[in-house]
């Protein structure tokens, strides 16, 4: 398996892991707060979702940096086209 194939596989695994975390968080929120939630609970849910998105973005950037290092690509995160080259 080439280095690029390994990087792609790692990205797929990371994406699946992120989706699993997101689904787990939603399931926990639904279990704790049934459908008829009040405004405060909805605000708490929005805050949790924002934290989760921030965490997922950090994980994604870390994964990209590791994959780029393995493949030998530059690690400038300001160019979003790098992400496309790994898919």
């Amino acid at each position: 398996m080439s280095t690029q194939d390994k990087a792609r596989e790692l990205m797929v695994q990371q994406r699946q892991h992120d989706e699993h975390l997101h689904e787990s968080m939603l399931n926990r929120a639904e279990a704790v707060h049934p459908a008829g939630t009040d405004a405060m609970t909805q605000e708490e849910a929005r805050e949790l979702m924002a934290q989760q998105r921030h965490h997922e973005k950090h994980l994604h950037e870390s994964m990209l940096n590791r994959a780029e290092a393995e493949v030998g690509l530059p690690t400038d995160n300001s160019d979003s086209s790098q992400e496309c080259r790994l898919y």
Side-chain angles (χ1 to χ4, degrees):
M1 180 180 284
S2 74
T3 305
Q4 287 181 339
D5 290 337
K6 289 179 186 177
R8 285 187 192 103
E9 181 64 27
L10 288 172
M11 290 298 294
V12 167
Q13 290 174 1
Q14 183 64 42
R15 200 168 29 249
Q16 289 172 342
H17 177 72
D18 290 346
E19 289 172 4
H20 175 72
L21 286 176
H22 179 73
E23 289 175 17
S24 295
M25 190 175 115
L26 287 176
N27 290 337
R28 284 188 304 238
E30 289 173 358
V32 171
H33 302 288
T37 61
D38 61 8
M40 184 58 146
T41 304
Q42 291 177 5
E43 179 63 27
E44 291 171 358
R46 281 192 288 273
E47 289 175 11
L48 287 173
M49 291 300 293
Q51 290 174 359
Q52 180 67 22
R53 281 192 302 272
H54 177 72
H55 178 71
E56 288 175 359
K57 180 180 177 185
H58 175 72
L59 287 175
H60 179 75
E61 289 173 357
S62 296
M63 191 67 202
L64 255 181
N65 289 337
R66 285 192 300 253
E68 289 171 345
E70 288 183 19
V71 175
L73 296 174
T75 57
D76 178 15
N77 288 333
S78 63
D79 182 8
S80 62
S81 64
Q82 290 178 4
E83 182 178 344
C84 296
R85 288 193 295 249
L86 293 176
Y87 291 107

